[in-house]
Amino acid sequence: MLSSSDFASASWELVIRVDHPNEEEQKDVTLRVSGDLHVGGLMLKLVEQINISQDWSDFALWWEQKHCWLLKTHWTLDKCGVQADAKLLFTPQHKMLRLRLPNVKTVRLRVSFSAVVFKAVSDICKILNIRRSEELSLLKPSGDYFKKKKKKDKSNKEPIIEDILNLEGSPTTPGPPVSPGLYSKTMTPTYDPINGTPASSTMTWFSDSPLTEQNCSILAFSQPPQSPEALADMYQPRSLVDKAKLNAGWLDSSRSLMEQGIQEDEQLLLRFKYYTFFDLNPKYDAVRINQLYEQARWAILLEEIDCTEEEMLIFAALQYHISKLSLSAETQDFTNESEVDEVEAALSNLEVTLEGGKADSALEDITDIPKLADNLKLFRPKKLILKAFKQYWFIFKDTSIAYFKNKELEQGEPVEKLNLRGCEVVPDVNVAGRKFGIKLLIPVADGMNEVYLRCDHENQYAQWMAACILASKGKTMADSSYQPEVLNILSFLRMKNRNSASQVASSLETMDMNPECFVSPRCAKKHKSKQLAARILEAHQNVAQMPLVEAKLRFIQAWQSLPEFGLTYYLVRFKGSKKDDILGVSYNRLIRIDAATGIPITTWRFTNMKQWNVNWEIRQVAIEFDQNVSIAFTCLSADCKIVHEYIGGYIFLSTRSKDQNETLDEDLFHKLTGGQE
């Protein structure tokens, strides 16, 4: 028999606070436990002591001092390191969270606070019908993010709650029957690919999604444009350093919300974090395409990305067109749609897939790498020299450009040969002024060489520009993406082409439009309202016939063609440097940028990267490239884990292919982004 003193030494008292869902206050429960009791047994004891019959299956223990969940229920308290002084909280793992979506709508839903953020975002996207959840993440905004909005709300009598879409009855439970993240090639289209409306017969496929058709249309349709006053309230001119601070709030994908100090019912931003949008398909992606369009729209309106005035007017015309079509689409009644037999639809879809694309390229295209040869003008900037372009004979082959004094000398030595692998390609175009230029920033040992090329007309520009873009990624014109790239550039140029001969819309339509809603506040200040409306309607002539979803996709493509697209900025200090620089992280490269001037200094491609790691003690990211090039930097505007995760995340996303049956290797993601902590 044990004496009472032996009993006391082998067991001890543990105080656990219980988060009662129906009661305001948390209650303390004291249990006598021993170190060999496992976590599951402790929870069983606790529930028996509480003696309230309810479903406790979602509850788990949270250790406050260590800031971690005790989810391994078979571990003993000794193995976990839990002793009498431990502060444990017995609380639900799923809690309410408010998410501000890219379209500035807020949804309130129940999210797992114990799963890692990568998994939590995947569950959120299942509820919202957004495929490819790995491209999105959660951003905790800086303290002043919502402040400007509140000024407006004070003068507004309506309560803010009305703007929140409540999906409370939708716990993100694992193992759904069908999830939008994993669809088969034969799945029935969920949306009309022309106007993005839900195909009513197929909404039942998403049995795990609480989205009714009404909720779905809120997420899949563009919202009415904000008033110019609201835009001016939200607008803040930002330097590169300011933009770098915005990116400090990305949550760590390898840790849970609770571990990162997120509170119940806190407001976070759900955003596309990685700018590689894989397999955008109007049949399944109405919500994804719309949210992507909205993120692009706000980036342009708030000048988070720079564009020329000519480009701003195209974006404005597309927005105007989309808002008009969205209004007419929402007023139609879609409930009387003819029901499609799902098996029949799946079979016809399979038939299309099996037929495959017709082989339209001749056999010699496979072996011959095409080349371009033409007269272009070239200019190299030097100090105190005016911009004087000189004509040469250019030959573009593989991934390099050689130029000669004239065509007759092309068999001899070129004046110079430029290798474009890893270079920056920037459009230098003004369609109205018939200027079609290409600016190349070519990496050399001590920085970047700047070269300007000038083309004579649209077609020449589209061919050479597409070749330069592909060469910068290490691809030749034999690549299947060359022709689509040429067509994409041409269609964007044609949208810019101001067609003065075409009828400008009636003055009634001009009066009906509020042009300041469609351009950035800075652009609106430069022009009178009528003048701006006329220019937007003029640009609108080129897109007036486009269906709704195509117009959104065209907007996204135009956004993707901007020089700054996909760059996320961080303030860093490079090893051996005495001043701070900006690091731009893109889907295929890193760019070192001068913080004061915004001029790129050096570019490093991910394809040349051998390895990268983090020294957690001094919080330094070190990267090794081919040819014995190595860099190291410390992050000043954000935690180094955020930057490290960005690099690893892009490399992870580059491994995706359509052959993988849409499944994601989550372990590989954590391996590439974790930094071996």
Side-chain angles (χ1 to χ4, degrees):
M1 290 291 287
L2 284 169
S3 68
S4 59
S5 61
D6 287 336
F7 179 71
S9 63
S11 64
W12 29 275
E13 285 191 341
L14 184 61
V15 178
I16 301 172
R17 273 188 309 131
V18 178
D19 218 348
H20 278 292
N22 305 326
E23 293 178 30
E24 285 296 308
E25 283 186 25
Q26 296 173 334
K27 289 186 177 172
D28 285 351
V29 174
T30 306
L31 294 175
R32 180 159 283 280
V33 297
S34 59
D36 58 0
L37 179 67
H38 53 77
V39 173
L42 175 64
M43 292 197 289
L44 189 64
K45 247 185 166 181
L46 183 61
V47 170
E48 284 170 356
Q49 178 108 353
I50 298 166
N51 200 18
I52 297 174
S53 63
Q54 67 164 64
D55 182 2
W56 295 98
S57 61
D58 189 41
F59 278 65
L61 290 166
W62 167 256
W63 189 354
E64 289 187 6
Q65 296 109 313
K66 290 278 176 82
H67 229 63
C68 68
W69 288 94
L70 301 181
L71 296 176
K72 291 182 174 155
T73 50
H74 58 285
W75 279 26
T76 63
L77 297 183
D78 280 344
K79 190 171 182 180
C80 295
V82 173
Q83 293 173 335
D85 61 348
K87 288 183 182 172
L88 299 183
L89 174 68
F90 193 50
T91 185
Q93 295 174 63
H94 287 82
K95 301 175 189 292
M96 295 310 291
L97 192 64
R98 285 176 302 140
L99 293 177
R100 174 80 71 90
L101 303 180
N103 68 345
V104 199
K105 275 276 176 205
T106 301
V107 295
R108 190 166 177 270
L109 55 138
R110 201 174 292 283
V111 176
S112 171
F113 272 58
S114 62
V116 295
V117 164
F118 187 86
K119 179 77 177 73
V121 170
S122 168
D123 291 341
I124 290 164
C125 288
K126 279 174 189 164
I127 293 176
L128 301 178
N129 266 353
I130 298 174
R131 292 192 311 132
R132 300 286 170 197
S133 63
E134 67 276 10
E135 294 166 1
L136 296 94
S137 194
L138 299 173
L139 182 67
K140 185 174 181 176
S142 55
D144 59 348
Y145 184 85
F146 297 111
K147 276 184 190 167
K148 287 211 159 196
K149 295 289 288 173
K150 283 176 186 166
K151 282 183 196 167
K152 184 179 76 109
D153 290 333
K154 279 178 192 168
S155 59
N156 207 344
K157 297 284 160 63
E158 292 176 19
I160 306 167
I161 313 305
E162 286 190 5
D163 204 29
I164 294 182
L165 176 63
N166 209 333
L167 302 176
E168 191 170 349
S170 58
T172 52
T173 47
V178 175
S179 88
L182 314 171
Y183 76 98
S184 69
K185 294 274 194 298
T186 58
M187 195 173 99
T188 316
T190 323
Y191 301 98
D192 183 317
I194 306 300
N195 57 22
T197 54
S200 51
S201 61
T202 60
M203 283 312 283
T204 52
W205 277 59
F206 296 108
S207 44
D208 59 323
S209 175
L211 285 181
T212 60
E213 286 194 36
Q214 180 201 354
N215 289 349
C216 179
S217 69
I218 290 173
L219 301 178
F221 278 117
S222 177
Q223 299 303 303
Q226 290 274 10
S227 69
E229 296 75 37
L231 256 182
D233 258 0
M234 295 165 77
Y235 174 71
Q236 294 172 328
R238 292 193 173 101
S239 66
L240 276 180
V241 176
D242 295 331
K243 288 178 185 176
K245 286 173 186 163
L246 284 177
N247 293 311
W250 287 110
L251 296 189
D252 184 338
S253 297
S254 307
R255 291 162 63 217
S256 68
L257 290 170
M258 197 91 156
E259 286 168 325
Q260 297 181 68
I262 304 299
Q263 304 295 314
E264 182 163 10
D265 222 28
E266 191 170 330
Q267 184 151 5
L268 297 176
L269 310 180
L270 180 70
R271 290 287 181 272
F272 289 88
K273 175 179 179 179
Y274 298 104
Y275 293 92
T276 48
F277 315 123
F278 191 69
D279 185 29
L280 274 179
N281 190 329
K283 289 180 185 175
Y284 313 110
D285 288 329
V287 176
R288 183 176 170 215
I289 288 168
N290 186 56
Q291 295 299 331
L292 201 46
Y293 157 71
E294 289 283 350
Q295 185 161 324
R297 185 170 85 88
W298 283 106
I300 283 151
L301 287 177
L302 301 180
E303 289 190 12
E304 287 167 11
I305 184 168
D306 289 337
C307 65
T308 63
E309 192 171 294
E310 197 172 47
E311 287 160 345
M312 181 70 81
L313 289 169
I314 292 171
F315 287 123
L318 282 166
Q319 284 179 72
Y320 171 62
H321 184 60
I322 289 163
S323 70
K324 264 176 58 173
L325 289 181
S326 298
L327 278 172
S328 61
E330 280 177 358
T331 53
Q332 290 170 22
D333 180 15
F334 295 109
T335 50
N336 301 329
E337 274 185 24
S338 58
E339 295 286 311
V340 181
D341 177 51
E342 286 168 0
V343 176
E344 207 172 289
L347 283 171
S348 65
N349 204 357
L350 178 63
E351 204 175 295
V352 172
T353 314
L354 291 176
E355 277 176 14
K358 306 281 184 293
D360 54 1
S361 57
L363 189 62
E364 61 265 19
D365 286 2
I366 299 167
T367 52
D368 287 3
I369 291 179
K371 71 173 188 177
L372 289 174
D374 214 338
N375 283 312
L376 302 178
K377 296 187 179 78
L378 174 131
F379 163 70
R380 277 184 172 284
K382 289 175 187 158
K383 285 178 185 171
L384 305 173
I385 291 181
L386 291 171
K387 218 174 196 181
F389 281 90
K390 199 172 173 187
Q391 185 164 299
Y392 292 96
W393 177 256
F394 281 80
I395 291 180
F396 199 136
K397 189 147 189 189
D398 290 335
T399 57
S400 55
I401 291 179
Y403 63 93
F404 307 82
K405 284 196 173 174
N406 54 46
K407 187 178 179 179
E408 287 68 41
L409 298 173
E410 74 170 75
Q411 300 306 324
E413 277 294 305
V415 177
E416 190 180 12
K417 191 172 182 180
L418 308 170
N419 184 5
L420 302 194
R421 209 179 264 263
C423 76
E424 294 297 307
V425 185
V426 183
D428 182 22
V429 174
N430 182 336
V431 178
R434 307 299 297 158
K435 171 184 160 192
F436 302 103
I438 301 169
K439 178 179 168 186
L440 300 172
L441 294 165
I442 301 165
V444 287
D446 56 345
M448 306 281 261
N449 262 342
E450 208 171 322
V451 178
Y452 287 83
L453 303 181
R454 184 67 64 81
C455 301
D456 293 332
H457 50 79
E458 285 106 326
N459 288 348
Q460 189 187 47
Y461 168 78
Q463 290 177 337
W464 285 80
M465 183 67 176
C468 289
I469 290 168
L470 260 67
S472 73
K473 300 173 188 171
K475 295 177 181 177
T476 69
M477 286 175 279
D479 193 86
S480 61
S481 60
Y482 175 66
Q483 281 307 327
E485 186 70 52
V486 172
L487 294 172
N488 197 13
I489 292 166
L490 278 173
S491 72
F492 193 33
L493 290 176
R494 281 182 191 132
M495 285 198 293
K496 289 183 181 184
N497 198 1
R498 291 169 62 187
N499 192 351
S500 50
S502 67
Q503 281 187 321
V504 172
S506 64
S507 55
L508 186 70
E509 194 173 1
T510 313
M511 284 159 57
D512 184 38
M513 183 210 267
N514 192 350
E516 290 84 2
C517 301
F518 303 113
V519 295
S520 72
R522 196 161 61 100
C523 180
K525 279 178 191 168
K526 287 185 189 173
H527 303 280
K528 288 180 181 164
S529 189
K530 272 190 178 177
Q531 182 194 9
L532 197 57
R535 290 188 69 184
I536 291 172
L537 288 170
E538 203 177 320
H540 180 246
Q541 302 293 315
N542 294 321
V543 298
Q545 302 309 313
M546 270 184 206
L548 180 56
V549 177
E550 190 189 324
K552 287 180 186 175
L553 287 169
R554 191 57 63 88
F555 191 100
I556 293 164
Q557 280 175 351
W559 174 49
Q560 287 174 305
S561 69
L562 296 176
E564 278 185 28
F565 167 77
L567 278 174
T568 309
Y569 301 106
Y570 289 99
L571 191 64
V572 299
R573 172 73 63 91
F574 277 88
K575 191 177 178 182
S577 174
K578 289 184 177 163
K579 65 185 183 72
D580 302 341
D581 285 310
I582 296 285
L583 181 75
V585 183
S586 176
Y587 71 96
N588 60 356
R589 68 202 188 284
L590 298 173
I591 308 175
R592 182 177 181 174
I593 302 167
D594 187 301
T597 63
I599 295 169
I601 302 168
T602 324
T603 296
W604 301 279
R605 293 262 153 190
F606 290 159
T607 46
N608 301 335
M609 193 188 287
K610 288 206 294 201
Q611 66 168 22
W612 74 103
N613 53 54
V614 181
N615 182 332
W616 294 106
E617 283 177 22
I618 55 172
R619 317 298 286 175
Q620 186 183 71
V621 181
I623 308 174
E624 268 183 53
F625 296 94
D626 293 341
Q627 296 165 337
N628 298 326
V629 175
S630 58
I631 59 169
F633 54 84
T634 47
C635 307
L636 307 175
S637 62
D639 188 272
C640 64
K641 170 69 169 79
I642 294 176
V643 182
H644 181 275
E645 186 177 303
Y646 241 117
I647 297 168
Y650 271 129
I651 288 167
F652 169 72
L653 294 185
S654 70
T655 65
R656 295 180 298 181
S657 77
K658 288 189 182 180
D659 308 331
Q660 290 173 333
N661 197 20
E662 309 292 313
T663 49
L664 271 184
D665 187 344
E666 196 177 326
D667 291 342
L668 179 64
F669 174 83
H670 293 302
K671 203 177 281 183
L672 287 170
T673 58
Q676 292 84 45
E677 251 182 297

